[in-house]
Amino acid sequence: MKKYKIAVLKGDGIGPEIVSEATKVLSKTAEEFGFDVEYQQALIGGAAIDETGCPLPQETIDICKGADSVLLGAVGGYKWDTLPGAERPEVGLLAIRKALGLYANLRPAVIFEPLKSASPLKEEIIGESLDIMVVRELTGGIYFGERGTNEEDGIISAYDTERYSVPEIERIAKTAFEMARKRNKKLCSVDKANVLDSSRLWRKTVERIAKDYPEVELSHMYVDNCAMQLVRNPSQFDVIVTSNMFGDILSDEASMISGSIGMLASASLNESGSGLYEPIHGSAPDIAGQNSANPLATILSVAMMLRYSLGEPKAAERIEKAVVTALKQARTADIATKETNIKKVTCSEMGDLVTSLI
Ligand code: IPM
Ligand code: MG
């Protein structure tokens, strides 16, 4: 029997709750599709700080490198909010992305049919359906550029730098063009080329790579315009490719269009195709430990893992179908509805429901 080694990084806040539900679903899916999964737990974020003093212990990196894939919950919480920047739980997340070379972050924003009314956008704006793939560069740009804090003549200043090299832009552009080729063949590259040099290089490089993908229609958009177009006419987009920080912002916006940030999964891939899978939402410390979080984004992240890293597309589809069916029967608090035939459920009840539908 095929066996996949999965590194499990539950993290902080609601992380442990949602990841438990996702592994429950994965184990059942494995049983149904005739493969085996072996889980290896490792520490990251605040949990790792408390236990080892460091947000990403070397042992965690080793476990992730030795695994076929990584499943992550979320990091961060009030408890660690006062730590200096370089010691915060978030540093663990950035460091694992860097350590595993996860430069391509895929963030699909889709509307699930049963949740159409949960979108804050009017139905006539959403149109028939919504299916956008945000491809975010994840290991470069301002997140990893030169930074510092100085004091001169009694005035404190701080800076961060946005820097992109041609090879960094080329490889994320290729990922995005490949993605667009498999989808509706439209790629929108988002930058701020009217102001930033790094964006002008981004645009020029994307244009050059476009020559290898004549079947994909490429457009460019400034990030401020894109933020507006996403709520004005979201269905104009198929694949969006953008830098680390613009992608961080636009993917939150795109996700909200789908009704709840609690629904959206993500994949972060490296050159070897192995990856890290996590919900795009955060650790939600305000509801941690209450068994009320929505585990569906993490469950859908497991589906992405099966598709993009483990080569089990049928198993991925089974999970996605089970999620849609579950939404017709039950909802967690974030996506609750007044419809009386739909039950309000806890995080673990939702996990059990999806598992039973596999
Ligand atoms: C995300 C998060 C992270 C990021 C934070 C927690 C460091 O917002 O994955 O989108 O900014 O990348
Ligand atoms: Mg974010």
Side-chain angles (χ1 to χ4, degrees), residues 110-115 263 296 299-300 317-331 350 353-354 357:
V110 292
I111 289 201
F112 295 87
E113 186 54 36
L115 283 184
M263 289 299 302
L296 293 178
I299 291 171
L300 289 165
E317 263 167 50
R318 179 76 65 89
I319 293 178
E320 286 157 354
K321 281 214 180 95
V323 166
V324 174
T325 308
L327 285 170
K328 292 179 186 154
Q329 301 173 15
R331 302 281 171 84
M350 184 57 104
L353 176 59
V354 176
L357 292 166

Side-chain angles (χ1 to χ4, degrees), residues 72 74-76 89-94 97 105 107 136-138 143-144 244-245 247-249 251-252 261 266 268 278-283:
L72 187 134
V75 299
E90 288 81 357
V91 171
L93 183 56
L94 300 182
R97 290 171 178 170
N105 184 212
R107 298 191 160 188
R136 168 188 178 195
E137 200 291 325
L138 202 62
Y143 274 56
F144 294 96
N244 203 342
M245 180 147 82
D248 178 44
I249 299 165
S251 61
D252 266 29
I261 195 166
S266 84
S268 304
E278 58 176 321
I280 87 159
H281 61 72
S283 57

Side-chain angles (χ1 to χ4, degrees), residues 187-263:
L187 176 62
C188 180
S189 171
V190 174
D191 61 37
K192 188 71 187 171
N194 50 345
V195 177
L196 304 175
D197 276 351
S198 52
S199 280
R200 285 189 270 270
L201 182 65
W202 179 281
R203 193 175 278 222
K204 204 168 117 191
T205 308
V206 171
E207 261 162 12
R208 184 162 45 71
I209 299 295
K211 298 202 179 92
D212 299 332
Y213 299 88
E215 68 280 41
V216 176
E217 182 197 317
L218 172 68
S219 61
H220 301 278
M221 202 178 268
Y222 297 140
V223 62
D224 48 349
N225 186 25
C226 182
M228 179 193 47
Q229 295 295 337
L230 272 170
V231 288
R232 198 188 73 96
N233 176 18
S235 53
Q236 70 183 286
F237 297 106
D238 175 21
V239 179
I240 290 174
V241 63
T242 192
S243 64
N244 203 342
M245 180 147 82
F246 294 163
D248 178 44
I249 299 165
L250 294 176
S251 61
D252 266 29
E253 187 188 2
S255 75
M256 195 57 226
I257 298 173
S258 78
S260 168
I261 195 166
M263 289 299 302

Side-chain angles (χ1 to χ4, degrees), residues 3-8 26 36-40 67-69:
K3 185 178 196 168
Y4 301 115
K5 263 202 225 164
I6 311 294
V8 178
L26 178 57
D36 217 358
V37 274
E38 183 192 311
Y39 301 108
Q40 268 186 300
D68 295 304
S69 214

